[in-house]
Amino acid sequence: MDRLFRPVLALIATMALTVALMLGLPASAIAQAGPPAEVSAQISQAEADLRSADRALDNGASRSERDTLRAKVTAAQQAARAAATSLQPQLDQMDARISGLGPVAKGTTEAPDIQRERKRLEQSRAAIDSAIKRGRLIDVEAQQLIDEIQRNRAEELNEELSTRLHSPLTPDFWSAVLGALPRDLRRVDTFLRDGGEQIALTWRRGVPWQALLGLTLGLVLAFPARLKLRQIGQRYLIGTAPGHRIRRSGFALWRLLVGTIMPLLGALALAQGVRWSNLLPARWEELIDGFVVASGLSAFTVSVFGALLMRQQPTWRVAPIADETAQRLRGLIWPLAIIAFASILLDSFNRAIGASAAAQLAAEVVEALLHVIWIGVFLLLLGRLRALRAERGEATAGGTGLGAFMLVAWALVLVALLGLAVGYISLSLFVVRLIIWVVLLSAATYLLMSGADDVATTVFSRNSRLGLTLVRSVGLRPSLVDQFGVLLSGALRLTLALLTLGLLMTPFGGGEGLTSLFGRLGALSQGVELGGIAISPGAIIRSMVVLALGLAIVRAFMGWLDGRYLPATDLDGSGRNSVSLVARYVGVALAIIWALASLGIGVERIALLLSALSVGIGFGLQAITQNFVSGLILLAERPIKIGDLIRVGTDEGDVKRISVRSTEITLADHSTLIVPNSELITKSVLNKTLASPLGRLQIQFSVPIEVDADRVIAIMNRLFEEEAAVLDDPAPRAFIDAITDGRILFNCFAHVPSPRDAYGARSNILRKLLGRLREEGIDIGTVAQRLELAPGDYARFSAPNAELDCPAEAKSPDAR
């Protein structure tokens, strides 16, 4: 029965590991490659372990022995793979040193010292190469053994599940049980009599104080110590843990850990005391081990449901479970724990006494029926609670996910009942055990995921103490702290999900569980070959650290460049922006190349990749590439600078930012126009401040021909002098533009410091000009417009009912 309790122990270890990760315990140091002799000895040891496991499998190993052998083979595989990987850099160094000596030219004789050095290097290279090949061969052979063990276990499980026996509904089944009953009763009597005789013999020798001490310690650990530790954890969380979410999740996990570990330690103390005192015979060892396993599993069942429901402390409840649901479900916790305890203990008892196959089969039928009854009651209760909440119009917890789970569970219960009815007892027992284990595992995983999410998102929050410290001292943006918390939560929850998948089939022998999972993760940690590049989690982490360091150096350099060096130059703001932008992109590119180099991707590989992508860039990313090149041209030639007033099409505004892809222009209505850089290079752009920052205003008007033109020009000159925005140099000028239709046309010009000032200055001058001319009694206007008809169109326009091809305003009586 150890295989039934092994996943519980693994889940406890997972919880402890999760808490350690959340508390930030340091990881173990990464092993360094040793000398070639030590690595070769490691490969030899791995080969010896592999050969011994192979011989044990050939001799026919039991299921438990195969589990141990598989773990041994996996360890040998990882050791050989790590050794071969650690020797590869040394082999590369040997190749480089041999290449440095150069080839031996024909007809020449090398110096003796060079010959000795070449021979020594070649011998060392041959030894290292041989060790690497041995390690890779061991890796392959170990994987073949692992696959063979997996196939054997899968075949055994399939054969066990597909075996059909007599149905419990047939007389043959019970006749077999009754026929074996006398022999089973004799074995039970012998087993109990041996135990009683051993107990009496031990008491005659003296008081078995070890057993009494173990019993006392077990009771203390299972009851008062467990309750006291729960209270201590709650008091500690209330006083020190930050935030209600962490206190709530921490207390649930603490209650789960304490509720599982303390009864397990109590059972172990009792079992060890009995063993030390020799109170029971050796035949009882199987039953003692079964008692420990049953105690641990039942304690885990009670504690996981207790931590999830929190019946007496609803405010500390992690899951969104209503109080009514928690109260109704509490009555199902202890029956399930008792069923699990009795099933494991009965199975251990049957194996300890050597019960007949019929008796063991009857015990499995009873266990399957009890589990089916419990699952049916559980599902009926959940369905009734959901129906009551639906009638009251309340939202049901779990939604469609819980409904789908209940539907699948009912289908599996039906399969289990049909399996019992037709004789597939192993299949029925497998189904009900799987349902119970999925429920327990899902509850524990939910608690672990909630705790990981609460800790990660609360500790790494912009409003937490650590978050405020990172924002104020390190200078991180608050959003980055929140993002890191969410990413850390996702990574922890993904790890827990993978561990849960590894534990799913572990109790049933249908998969390798955590052993397979950790084996694959160990193989992954050694690296995966992609295009001649070994990519491993360690290399990825190293490249991320290098990238972060490179970006930090770029940021520090940009701070010095923008804050110290560029202000000391004669460059204007636009020139500084161009230099800063180019330097930033170059620095980021160098940091990325540095990170790729630390990953094992050299510059020549990057160039090869870029050349391979050039065709795709030329067609698929043509517009982006064109804008990028245009941005570089704008930054280099600077036909448009930050602060320039430009006109693109019908839009006019100030240039606020120039990047390598686009340019941002702020328009008069305070909106931002984003123009691709290629538009500014390939099309016409009016830059009003490129050659000179000055702006010019133009005023045109006409007066009757009887007015003195010199007096009008004098008025304009005085108005220009009175306007503060008008510059004296260049001096404003007023011209007579034309004399037509009895009016004098004036065209006046003046300059202002910036084109942005021209509109306001022109408005002020026009306003004053209207008032001054009105005071002088001078009529102001424009030249009268005339409509001239070409001689060829006269007949068409003079024809009866002819219409002019002109706007509607021209057809009105006033227009005529």
Side-chain angles (χ1 to χ4, degrees):
M1 295 302 295
D2 58 339
R3 64 186 179 89
L4 293 176
F5 190 57
R6 192 183 306 132
V8 178
L9 295 177
L11 188 60
I12 296 173
T14 301
M15 291 188 289
L17 178 61
T18 304
V19 174
L21 290 175
M22 292 188 293
L23 294 176
L25 294 180
S28 59
I30 300 175
Q32 302 293 330
E38 297 180 2
V39 178
S40 180
Q42 182 180 356
I43 293 176
S44 300
Q45 182 62 40
E47 186 176 11
D49 294 340
L50 185 64
R51 296 290 177 262
S52 63
D54 193 7
R55 288 192 297 270
L57 289 174
D58 292 338
N59 294 331
S62 63
R63 177 177 297 180
S64 59
E65 291 174 347
R66 285 201 301 269
D67 293 339
T68 304
L69 291 175
R70 190 197 183 283
K72 185 177 181 180
V73 172
T74 302
Q77 181 188 32
Q78 295 178 0
R81 184 178 297 169
T85 304
S86 65
L87 286 177
Q88 186 61 44
Q90 301 182 23
L91 181 63
D92 296 337
Q93 293 178 2
M94 289 295 173
D95 291 336
R97 295 175 65 180
I98 293 174
S99 300
L101 294 178
V104 181
K106 294 182 179 180
T108 61
T109 302
E110 288 184 325
D113 54 346
I114 297 180
Q115 292 180 356
R116 289 192 298 269
E117 182 66 17
R118 185 185 297 276
K119 184 177 180 180
R120 187 184 66 82
L121 291 176
E122 290 178 351
Q123 291 176 350
S124 300
R125 187 196 182 283
I128 295 174
D129 184 62
S130 175
I132 292 175
K133 292 179 179 179
R134 286 175 57 203
R136 292 175 179 173
L137 181 60
I138 293 172
D139 185 5
V140 174
E141 293 179 353
Q143 188 60 46
Q144 292 175 351
L145 281 181
I146 293 173
D147 294 339
E148 180 182 352
I149 295 174
Q150 290 177 346
R151 286 193 302 269
N152 292 337
R153 294 193 63 176
E155 291 173 359
E156 288 180 358
L157 180 62
N158 293 333
E159 183 180 357
E160 182 179 354
L161 296 180
S162 60
T163 301
R164 182 179 180 182
L165 305 173
H166 292 296
S167 170
L169 303 178
T170 60
D172 294 336
F173 178 84
W174 298 108
S175 61
V177 174
L178 294 176
L181 183 60
R183 184 177 56 184
D184 291 330
L185 290 177
R186 288 195 302 271
R187 293 179 178 179
V188 171
D189 180 69
T190 303
F191 184 79
L192 295 178
R193 187 172 58 254
D194 292 344
E197 293 175 355
Q198 182 69 24
I199 293 174
L201 179 61
T202 304
W203 276 98
R204 284 195 298 270
R205 295 175 180 175
V207 177
W209 61 269
Q210 299 94 336
L212 296 178
L213 180 62
L215 177 61
T216 304
L217 182 59
L219 293 175
V220 170
L221 290 174
F223 295 102
R226 176 174 58 86
L227 297 178
K228 186 64 176 177
L229 284 177
R230 184 192 299 178
Q231 295 174 0
I232 293 174
Q234 184 176 2
R235 190 182 309 117
Y236 172 80
L237 290 169
I238 292 175
T240 60
H244 174 68
R245 292 176 56 191
I246 292 184
R247 290 196 294 268
R248 181 190 62 181
S249 303
F251 179 65
L253 292 177
W254 177 252
R255 180 170 176 172
L256 176 58
L257 284 172
V258 171
T260 303
I261 293 177
M262 300 308 293
L264 176 61
L265 292 179
L268 286 173
L270 176 59
Q272 196 61 37
V274 170
R275 288 190 177 98
W276 284 344
S277 62
N278 293 323
L279 187 63
L280 294 172
R283 292 185 60 189
W284 284 63
E285 287 292 331
E286 186 78 25
L287 185 60
I288 294 174
D289 293 337
F291 169 75
V292 175
V293 173
S295 301
L297 185 59
S298 59
F300 173 73
T301 302
V302 173
S303 61
V304 71
F305 279 114
L308 188 67
L309 297 179
M310 290 286 181
R311 180 178 55 84
Q312 298 178 352
Q313 296 166 312
T315 57
W316 289 76
R317 190 175 297 144
V318 176
I321 300 176
D323 294 340
E324 181 184 8
T325 303
Q327 293 294 335
R328 294 286 188 89
L329 293 178
R330 67 169 183 170
L332 298 177
I333 298 177
W334 278 103
L336 179 60
I338 293 173
I339 292 173
F341 183 88
S343 300
I344 296 176
L345 200 62
L346 180 60
D347 184 73
S348 301
F349 181 77
N350 287 333
R351 289 191 289 115
I353 66 174
S356 62
Q360 295 183 12
L361 198 61
E364 291 179 355
V365 170
V366 173
E367 179 185 352
L369 283 175
L370 291 175
H371 279 112
V372 165
I373 294 173
W374 187 92
I375 296 170
V377 173
F378 177 75
L379 293 177
L380 287 174
L381 183 58
L382 279 183
R384 183 175 301 175
L385 290 172
R386 286 171 60 87
L388 291 176
R389 294 179 66 87
E391 291 177 359
R392 294 194 294 261
E394 301 176 0
T396 56
T400 58
L402 182 59
F405 169 77
M406 293 177 61
L407 183 61
V408 173
W410 276 117
L412 292 177
V413 168
L414 181 61
V415 170
L417 288 175
L418 291 177
L420 280 177
V422 299
Y424 290 99
I425 299 175
S426 297
L427 175 62
S428 176
L429 187 61
F430 171 80
V431 170
V432 294
R433 283 180 176 177
L434 179 62
I435 296 175
I436 298 298
W437 177 241
V438 167
V439 171
L440 294 176
L441 191 61
S442 299
T445 305
Y446 180 83
L447 294 175
L448 288 171
M449 286 188 173
S450 299
D453 179 64
D454 291 343
V455 171
T457 56
T458 302
V459 173
F460 291 96
S461 172
R462 66 177 68 191
N463 298 322
S464 65
R465 182 179 302 176
L466 179 60
L468 293 175
T469 302
L470 293 174
V471 171
R472 294 172 181 174
S473 61
V474 182
L476 296 178
R477 294 195 305 272
S479 60
L480 289 179
V481 180
D482 294 338
Q483 292 172 21
F484 179 78
V486 174
L487 291 175
L488 179 61
S489 170
L492 291 175
R493 297 171 75 178
L494 179 61
T495 303
L496 291 172
L498 293 176
L499 293 175
T500 301
L501 291 177
L503 287 169
L504 185 60
M505 294 298 294
T506 300
F508 311 105
E512 299 303 328
L514 285 180
T515 305
S516 177
L517 178 63
F518 288 140
R520 296 182 184 275
L521 291 179
L524 182 61
S525 65
Q526 301 299 329
V528 178
E529 290 287 337
L530 293 177
I533 302 172
I535 298 179
S536 63
I540 294 176
I541 294 175
R542 183 173 63 250
S543 65
M544 293 176 63
V545 171
V546 170
L547 180 60
L549 180 60
L551 294 178
I553 294 175
V554 172
R555 183 175 182 180
F557 173 75
M558 294 306 302
W560 171 82
L561 185 67
D562 294 335
R564 297 292 302 275
Y565 178 74
L566 290 179
T569 62
D570 296 332
L571 297 175
D572 56 5
S574 179
R576 296 177 188 177
N577 175 77
S578 301
V579 174
S580 176
L581 193 61
V582 172
R584 179 179 293 108
Y585 280 102
V586 171
V588 171
L590 291 177
I592 293 175
I593 293 175
W594 187 19
L596 293 176
S598 67
L599 193 60
I601 304 176
V603 179
E604 67 282 354
R605 293 181 180 269
I606 299 175
L608 182 61
L609 178 63
L610 292 178
S611 62
L613 293 176
S614 59
V615 177
I617 293 175
F619 289 96
L621 304 178
Q622 184 176 4
I624 297 177
T625 306
Q626 184 180 9
N627 289 325
F628 180 79
V629 175
S630 300
L632 296 179
I633 294 174
L634 288 177
L635 295 175
E637 296 184 357
R638 301 177 63 197
I640 297 173
K641 303 181 297 295
I642 294 179
D644 285 352
L645 179 64
I646 66 173
R647 178 179 296 173
V648 180
T650 59
D651 297 309
E652 181 176 293
D654 298 319
V655 178
K656 289 299 182 183
R657 182 174 179 269
I658 301 176
S659 65
V660 294
R661 189 192 66 84
S662 61
T663 298
E664 298 179 5
I665 302 173
T666 302
L667 304 181
D669 60 354
H670 304 289
S671 62
T672 300
L673 177 65
I674 301 176
V675 182
N677 289 331
S678 59
E679 297 288 326
L680 303 178
I681 294 297
T682 59
K683 296 185 179 180
S684 299
V685 178
L686 176 62
N687 191 338
K688 294 188 175 182
T689 57
L690 176 61
S692 174
L694 301 181
R696 192 190 73 164
L697 58 89
Q698 180 181 12
I699 299 177
Q700 292 178 312
F701 63 94
S702 66
V703 298
I705 196 170
E706 296 84 6
V707 178
D708 187 4
D710 293 335
R711 184 160 59 118
V712 174
I713 292 175
I715 292 174
M716 284 303 305
N717 289 331
R718 286 196 299 271
L719 291 177
F720 283 141
E721 292 176 359
E722 293 173 1
E723 178 59 35
V726 175
L727 298 176
D728 295 333
D729 186 20
R733 304 291 298 274
F735 300 95
I736 297 176
D737 190 57
I739 300 175
T740 179
D741 292 333
R743 301 189 70 86
I744 305 174
L745 274 66
F746 290 92
N747 198 358
C748 308
F749 300 93
H751 290 82
V752 291
S754 172
R756 302 167 185 84
D757 302 330
Y759 194 81
R762 184 173 180 272
S763 176
N764 293 335
I765 294 174
L766 286 175
R767 179 174 51 83
K768 294 178 181 179
L769 176 63
L770 291 174
R772 191 68 57 84
L773 293 180
R774 191 175 294 110
E775 292 175 359
E776 296 289 340
I778 300 174
D779 177 40
I780 187 172
T782 59
V783 179
Q785 304 294 319
R786 296 184 304 169
L787 177 63
E788 295 183 1
L789 300 178
D793 295 333
Y794 178 76
R796 182 168 61 89
F797 289 122
S798 61
N801 301 324
E803 294 183 0
L804 293 175
D805 189 11
C806 59
E809 293 79 358
K811 302 177 185 179
S812 64
D814 296 337
R816 290 193 297 269

